[in-house]
Amino acid sequence: MPAAEIPPAPGAGRGWLRIAALGLLSTAILAVAAWGAGLIAFQGPAAAPLRNGLIGAWCLLGAAACAALPWRRASAARRRPALIAFAAGFAVLLAWWFALAPSQDRDWADDVARQFDAQVRGDRVVLRNVRDFQWRSETDYTPRWETREYDLSKLSSADLVLSYWMGPNIAHTLVSFGFDDGRRLVFSLEIRKERGESFSALGGFFRRFEQVLVAADERDIVRTRSNARGEDVYLYRLNLPPQTLRPMFLGFLAKADELKRKPAFYNTLTSNCTTVVFEIARHVVPDLPLDYRLLAAGHFAEYVYDQGGLVPGYSYAQLRERGYVNPRARAIPADAADAGAYSRAIRRGVPGIAASELAR
């Protein structure tokens, strides 16, 4: 019989299926081991030796579980203890995970110490705890919280602001609303840092941070990024029909109220500064599609452009180039007496913004 016609050995197909199944199972074990290591790293004991020891023990248990899989037809009795121990450890970690609860009562960092409160009566909105810090550097600042009143009938514009601090794919997303009198108010979903804590993208996967929605003056929340932190900041005028501005604005107030009543964890992928903007926008425009750029926030402005949400008549590259605010932002001194000087400066040359708006 020619070699090409020799039939496969009995059971050869089942052998490959068995190897594939074991490969998938070992991959799942390694993924669970990595997840558990991250959970211990970000939620475990504060003492580094104990925390690192627990991580090491858990990883060894995962390796032992992989080694105990029946790659060779060994006795089930010999491999069962390692697999049972790993499953039991996973159950403990899951119970720990689900027991983690967000809180409103921690020693918060100064810039997220307060949550704003909104009272809406018709067109009149009173906001308490609007942040207006004066930032000289990231650690040198003068705290200031204010009560402000806004007239929703004077709401005239909205701008998308993206601030990049770690490459082109990661950015912080803010939305700034403008009023006919020249005042502006920015909403920003942020991690609610505890005192001395700093942001960690990995920590955001492991319930390390609560969320807070901040309402702030542009001279505070945008300037601290363009000037104090040295991030790359881009501003785009949103192409929104006038009738959508009010529900968008009220959507941020509703989200803040929700977080005050029911605190929630920040999640780096699923519940962050960009997804909250999409969530609110989708209440106004229900047919907005899902897109990978909702996860890669650095490309969110391009997503908005593709949905017709930025000023028409320009390419995205043109809007991005003319929306880069840093050179203009750094020309305004931190102690400028005119509170609107920063806001006017960063909008000069931005498509869709009329000269009359810059004169207010």
Side-chain angles (χ1 to χ4, degrees), residues 4 20 37 54 112 135 143 152 201 226 292-293 307 311 318 346 359:
L54 288 173
V112 289
W135 298 88
L152 292 180
S226 64
Y292 80 93
R293 290 169 292 190
Q307 307 310 312
V311 174
Q318 289 173 319
I346 63 176

Side-chain angles (χ1 to χ4, degrees), residues 135-140 222-231 330:
W135 298 88
R136 290 171 290 276
S137 72
E138 196 169 358
T139 57
D140 181 16
V222 180
R223 186 185 179 281
T224 186
R225 289 170 165 80
S226 64
N227 293 44
R229 298 181 186 173
E231 299 175 6
R330 290 169 181 160

Side-chain angles (χ1 to χ4, degrees), residues 33-228:
W35 174 81
L39 180 61
I40 298 168
F42 288 102
Q43 296 289 353
L50 177 57
R51 184 175 66 250
N52 293 336
L54 288 173
I55 292 172
W58 170 248
C59 289
L60 285 174
L61 188 56
C66 279
L69 292 174
W71 299 101
R72 298 177 181 175
R73 298 187 180 279
S75 166
R78 288 204 301 267
R79 63 177 180 262
R80 187 178 298 131
L83 293 172
I84 290 176
F86 183 76
F90 181 41
V92 170
L93 290 177
L94 276 179
W96 182 18
W97 170 263
F98 287 114
L100 295 172
S103 173
Q104 304 280 31
D105 185 22
R106 303 190 194 278
D107 183 18
W108 304 114
D110 290 337
D111 58 332
V112 289
R114 303 187 189 185
Q115 294 176 292
F116 75 85
D117 173 73
Q119 291 184 346
V120 182
R121 294 179 181 174
D123 290 334
R124 180 173 175 268
V125 177
V126 176
L127 292 181
R128 296 181 177 84
N129 292 325
V130 175
R131 205 180 77 192
D132 187 19
F133 281 30
Q134 183 182 6
W135 298 88
R136 290 171 290 276
S137 72
E138 196 169 358
T139 57
D140 181 16
Y141 52 85
T142 301
R144 184 165 55 230
W145 300 91
E146 299 181 350
T147 296
R148 297 186 177 182
E149 184 174 333
Y150 298 91
D151 184 349
L152 292 180
S153 69
K154 306 295 184 182
L155 189 58
S156 59
S157 67
D159 297 319
L160 178 67
V161 181
L162 293 184
S163 183
Y164 295 78
W165 78 95
M166 194 169 66
N169 299 316
I170 299 176
H172 185 74
T173 306
L174 311 92
V175 177
S176 178
F177 289 92
F179 294 81
D180 284 344
D181 60 2
R183 292 193 301 163
R184 302 183 188 278
L185 184 71
V186 185
F187 292 108
S188 171
L189 187 91
E190 307 194 357
I191 64 165
R192 201 171 190 193
K193 307 183 300 290
E194 296 180 54
R195 195 172 301 279
E197 196 172 41
S198 59
F199 175 74
S200 164
L202 281 176
F205 288 105
F206 295 99
R207 299 188 172 183
R208 187 69 185 90
F209 312 108
E210 282 85 359
Q211 300 178 27
V212 64
L213 189 61
V214 176
D217 192 277
E218 281 189 342
R219 189 172 54 168
D220 169 338
I221 203 165
V222 180
R223 186 185 179 281
T224 186
R225 289 170 165 80
S226 64
N227 293 44

Side-chain angles (χ1 to χ4, degrees), residues 12-44:
R14 289 194 300 271
W16 281 110
L17 286 175
R18 176 174 170 275
I19 291 174
L22 289 173
L24 289 174
L25 185 55
S26 65
T27 301
I29 289 174
L30 292 174
V32 169
W35 174 81
L39 180 61
I40 298 168
F42 288 102
Q43 296 289 353

Side-chain angles (χ1 to χ4, degrees), residues 245-260:
L245 290 173
R246 184 182 182 121
M248 282 279 289
F249 188 95
L250 293 176
F252 282 99
L253 303 189
K255 182 63 177 180
D257 184 63
E258 176 188 329
L259 289 176
K260 284 189 69 175

